[in-house]
Amino acid sequence: MSEKEVDGGGGGGRGGLIRTDLSWIPSVIKKRVCTTFVEDSFSNGHLCQCGGVRESHASVTLNDYFSSAIVSHWESAKHSTEAPTDAFGEVEFAGVSKRHSYFLRLSWDTTPATAYTIMTTQWGMPKPNLVLSVAGGVGRSKVKTWVREVLRQGLVRAAQSTGAWILSGGLREGVGRFLGEAVRDHATAASSDSLTKVVTVGIAPWGLVDHREQLVNTEGSFPAEYYVPNRSQDSCYLDNNYQAFLLVDDGSVGRRGGEAGFRARLENYISHQRTGKWDSGTMDIPVLCTLVSGEPYMLERLDLSLKKCIPWLVLAGSGGLADLLSDVLENVSAASILPAAGAEGEGEVATKTDLRERVAERVMKHFPSEPDMDKLVDKVLSIYQSKELISIYHGEQEGPDDFDTVLLKALVRASKLRSVDSSPSTEELKLALTWNRVDIARTELFTGDIQWKSEDLEGYMTDALVNDKPQFVRLFTENGLNILDYLTLGRLEELYRSISDSCLTYTLLQRRLSERQSAATISTDVLNDAASQAKALTLYEVSQLLEDLLGDICEPFYRDSLGLGGITSKRKSIKKLTKILHEDRGYRRKRCPYPWASLLIWAVLQNHGEMAVYFWEMMTESVLSALSACKLLRELCKLESETETKLSMKELAHRFENLAHDMFSKCYQSSESRSFVLLKKKSAMWGGTTCLKMAMEADARHFFSHDGVQTLLSQIWWGEMDRSTEVWKLIVTLFLPPLCYTNLISFREVEEADEGNPEEAPQGKDMDWLYAETVFSFSDMKRIQAKSEESGAIRPTARGHPVRPPPSKRPFVLSRWRQFWYAPVTAFLGNVLMYFLFLLLFAYVLLVDFKPPPPKGPAPLELLLYFWVFTIVCEEIRGTFFVGSMTVRQRIRQYAQDVWHKCDLIAISLFLIGLCCRMFRDTFWFGRAALCLDYMVFTLRLIHIFAIHKQLGPKIIIVGKMMKDVFFFLFFLAVWMMAYGVANQGLIYSFDPSADRILRRVFYRPYLHIFGQIPVEEMDSGFEWSVTCTTNATEIDEGMEPCRDTHHNWLVVILLVVYLLVTNILLINLLIAMFSYTFTKVQERSDKYWKFQRFNVIAEYHSRPCLAPPFIIFSHFHLFIKRKIRKVPSEKIHQFAVELQEKATSRLMTWESIQKENFLSAEGKKQRGSEAERLKRMSAKVDGVLKQTAEIKDVDRRLRALETEMEFCSATLLWMAEALSQSGVLKASKSPPTRKVSPSSLES
């Protein structure tokens, strides 16, 4: 059965299985049924050698006496046949756990590819980075205490940190039971990110499972109810702590070992699969088998695995087969290297004979009652030939903490044997990267002993990026990887193509790829060459996606690199891109201009938080980069449908906003003027945007609430005037402009170096000027322009210092006039005062001077009102279409996004409708009504104007939030009011077809009841109702008032009482409670909201002319002459932005990088000083002390053993000397030496 066929059987996922999805399994997966009864000699003919009773075999085979007579040994391949499996699906462990596990009964000769595909595709199990197969520890053998600790603290912890599969027996006995409990406990204690990393798979013989009949269902079980008794003794029930079970059927019943062959083949198959997502890893999945205790029948499986180069780890001291192998490999191998006497051939034969004798001696020692000793010795000798693949672990001496290192070394040794060309360090790095064990890589491989080249680490870097391993990315970058050489545009495209298909970004990119392919004219041959849409993905789709997410605040990304710079037409861009893709694709070999920024965008689009934060730490322009990441995440959050992913995106966006806030706070503490330049500097990395503009688009309220940002906005707001100037002085000066030349208003002093002593200018100011000039007002713009024009005229002083000559100054009268009128606060106050006059004029026209249609009207004041509105419309058009450098489409989109712009549009539209209608007699009153409503809209516009006020601004925000509560309240009120109104109307009046009276009495009258207006005379028959009424249906149809029906008057009174109780007590108090909650919730953050909205008001009036409507028409004429006729460029076209030269930009970025280093250093100290980090360091120190203590004990044990050997050697030498002296063979000329005894030894 091929994998392709298995995949075609149905889709799978992580959710619950569906019966129709797995209905194909019985036709693919088989079970085994014994077809030949081979009598078991020890059962008196009642049992077959397969373990089944005679009655369970088919009658045909029971009558086959000839075959039964000649068959003496039962074999599954010969004496059993296949049949469609009847046990698969999900199992629920009744009374133990509500979690469902997957199970499948399959024949022992099922291809491992089929089982692996079912587990990963149909059952949705994640592909492993490591497979740990635990064998032994079942049956009669008992698991020792230290083995349990090794399994719990060593093996399971290593599996959890690497994302491994653990293969075991899956039954509630021996090692398998302790493994399941250890995985369960670790999953409970671990974080949510680690819950799905470790997958436990039980591979057990079908015939050994207790109560297996509960799993049988020919159509599949979804789920099967499986009862497990709650007892502490070992049993052959399935363990509920396993995620999946492969129940291998060889036709036998109650026999062990039937799954060994299938398990070995599955391990070998997995070891040839690639790690990583979509098999994108740099190596095959490592498989390591672990032997705990064990029985002699396991030797055959162990030998089979070793011949397929599967490494084994033997736990010495665990008992059984593990002790035998460790004894043979450690002692026999040491003895076999001794030289043999005699000739070479005789020595070799003697060595082999001696080796077999030594092995047989140890087999007899560990398994004295084994009947077939020679076969057992042959298996051990065969295993001995592959001793390089076997590692011995002494758990009692080494401890469970070293287990992960032992695993790594065992796999490295096996990898060296598999691939001869690769070095040990390379293989070890592959394994450490696959396991995501950066601690092992840092302590074993990147200690300085190995010189890693940049090109050697590029493949590993790609693996770490694709599989989201930020610690390894950091490690490679710190140890020689050159990011400039690594990240080419082609490699960046490959990274985007590797995005998971479950990610939102993948869907968005594929959507834009489909748009490009549908728009481009591509031949059929070219389409057939593409393996998939993902492989055809280019940076053009990435650029389109970023343009959609970031909007118009940035220039498009990667356009210049693709050769599409300057092309605004989408059709032309796609046409040129198609031509480039059909040629050599030379752009793919180019370096990425901003590698860290590109990697940050790539990580943010996938919501890889830790990776994105590391890229942010490595790049320049930290404040703007953090705000850009925040903007991307919040835009993606709007498109994300999954709740958990959306929540994580919101948290990551909030984290980046906090980073931007804290980073700018560090810069502001260092230098106020430089931090202001940082906020306004245009960034080439981020498409010409600024920090202020990006923060506004990213809805970064916390960032805007920073004192430094607010200080900059306040300075821009006041211009050249002192911020302490009182408002009444400005108002008086507005009406009496010559007062600006007096001391009524104080202005900021321009800090410039003294012309006579230029050398004595403060160094700090010179350094600030080297960075840039902070633009607060129109006067600042003029001063910077004058400095730039005279930058060439530099004269040296007597000391040799270059001095920049001071710019030419305007007359005091002109300069002071511009300083007052070009401040945004002046324009604001002028607009506010004139807007109040506009509202007074509008109200006067509506109430007093609203003349009939022409020729009697309109009046002169109404014509003035029309002209006033005309100037307002002209300013709206100018502000929308003639400020900035965006396209018309971008301007319209930006205008439509603002709520107050929509309010302006409604107000202007209503005014135009009212103006047109009031000119005609037939529609005169409709026009008057439209103008009355329009007056309300214009009046509500005052809310936006006063949003700049420090006290009113937060309250306006609270009112806006409460409006949402009002709508919810009105919904409940409308439901209850309609229910009461219809019932009340039906009970009081039996017949009333008048629609006007019905609407009033069903909706309007119950609404007035809330405020105490209750017509008791009409509703209560106990009161006299002095109204002329009738009961005649004809008169009622003609419009007369119907008489009330008094039959159900008591019910009307009860309904009125209930209605008033619900509305006046319940609903009104509910509304008050909602208002209180909203006020309390918003009040804490209202200051942030106000500071955020304040930026919009300041930006609006910063770009407005100094005159207010209707006098603004003069400013419009002036601007028209200046821009269109004289061709003078606008000095405010780039509002809140400043462009720096390359040298100044470099210096500013250096300063910001230094502040970021200080910030990260302070954060690191804070983190290291936390209690959690202190406890972690203390735990590491204690572990180190315990490890050293264990090493000291080991050294002491070895010294004692050495002393014992020395005493033995000393005694032997004494005996030899004495024997020689007594034999008389040697005649000594001197007396024998005497042994000197030290006093310390005598005392002892």
Side-chain angles (χ1 to χ4, degrees), residues 973-985 988 997-1015 1018-1019 1055-1056 1059-1060 1062-1064 1067-1068:
L973 180 63
V975 171
W976 181 242
M977 193 165 56
M978 183 176 179
Y980 166 76
V982 172
N984 185 66
Q985 175 71 8
I988 295 178
R997 285 196 294 263
I998 289 176
L999 292 177
R1000 288 175 178 270
R1001 291 168 177 169
V1002 170
F1003 294 102
Y1004 182 59
R1005 187 168 64 183
Y1007 179 74
L1008 295 178
H1009 288 353
I1010 301 175
F1011 304 99
Q1013 296 186 17
I1014 304 173
E1018 180 183 357
M1019 300 181 64
L1055 288 180
L1056 175 63
Y1059 172 74
L1060 293 177
V1062 173
T1063 54
N1064 288 17
L1067 293 182
I1068 297 297

Side-chain angles (χ1 to χ4, degrees), residues 553-794:
I553 57 176
C554 297
E555 296 177 0
F557 288 80
Y558 308 122
R559 288 293 185 92
D560 295 335
S561 302
L562 293 172
L564 304 177
I567 304 177
T568 57
S569 174
K570 186 175 181 180
R571 183 179 59 84
K572 292 181 179 179
S573 299
I574 294 177
K575 184 177 180 180
K576 186 173 181 180
L577 178 65
T578 305
K579 183 178 179 182
I580 294 174
L581 295 178
H582 287 174
E583 294 174 355
D584 58 344
R585 292 192 179 189
Y587 74 91
R588 292 172 57 86
R589 295 185 292 272
K590 296 180 182 179
R591 286 183 175 182
C592 188
Y594 303 104
W596 292 117
S598 299
L599 289 175
L600 173 66
I601 295 173
W602 175 80
V604 165
L605 290 178
Q606 299 179 85
N607 196 26
H608 290 170
E610 190 176 352
M611 186 88 75
V613 171
Y614 171 68
F615 293 149
W616 174 83
E617 294 175 359
M618 297 299 296
M619 64 188 303
T620 57
E621 303 190 25
S622 306
V623 178
L624 179 56
S625 300
L627 292 172
S628 302
C630 178
K631 166 68 175 175
L632 286 172
L633 287 165
R634 284 177 175 162
E635 291 298 325
L636 287 172
C637 188
K638 297 176 183 177
L639 303 174
E640 182 61 57
S641 57
E642 295 185 6
T643 306
E644 293 185 3
T645 307
K646 181 180 292 187
L647 182 61
S648 64
M649 285 182 176
K650 287 182 179 179
E651 293 176 352
L652 185 57
H654 184 67
R655 182 179 180 184
F656 272 111
E657 184 180 354
N658 289 335
L659 286 174
H661 177 275
D662 298 341
M663 182 63 203
F664 179 74
S665 179
K666 196 73 176 179
C667 296
Y668 185 69
Q669 294 172 8
S670 175
S671 174
E672 180 177 336
S673 58
R674 294 177 185 178
S675 61
F676 289 163
V677 176
L678 191 66
L679 289 176
K680 298 159 67 72
K681 183 191 73 70
K682 282 190 173 183
S683 170
M685 180 187 298
W686 291 100
T689 189
T690 64
C691 290
L692 286 177
K693 187 183 295 185
M694 185 63 75
M696 183 65 197
E697 294 295 329
D699 197 22
R701 298 187 180 97
H702 183 54
F703 179 79
F704 266 104
S705 66
H706 192 275
D707 292 339
V709 180
Q710 292 302 309
T711 302
L712 173 62
L713 294 179
S714 297
Q715 289 184 356
I716 295 175
W717 180 246
W718 287 95
E720 291 292 325
M721 289 184 288
D722 194 343
R723 284 183 290 173
S724 61
T725 304
E726 298 178 2
V727 176
W728 68 268
K729 295 181 180 180
L730 293 177
I731 297 175
V732 171
T733 309
L734 281 173
F735 289 101
L736 299 173
L739 291 178
C740 68
Y741 299 106
T742 65
N743 293 327
L744 183 65
I745 298 177
S746 56
F747 291 83
R748 291 191 297 115
E749 295 183 1
V750 179
E751 298 175 346
E752 295 185 20
D754 186 10
E755 295 181 30
N757 297 303
E759 299 91 348
E760 297 177 2
Q763 294 297 322
K765 304 300 178 184
D766 291 345
M767 288 301 296
D768 286 343
W769 187 89
L770 284 174
Y771 284 101
E773 290 283 354
T774 304
V775 182
F776 293 144
S777 63
F778 179 79
S779 177
D780 291 336
M781 296 181 187
K782 283 295 186 183
R783 186 168 63 253
I784 295 170
Q785 184 179 5
K787 284 185 177 182
S788 62
E789 290 175 354
E790 299 178 4
S791 60
I794 300 176

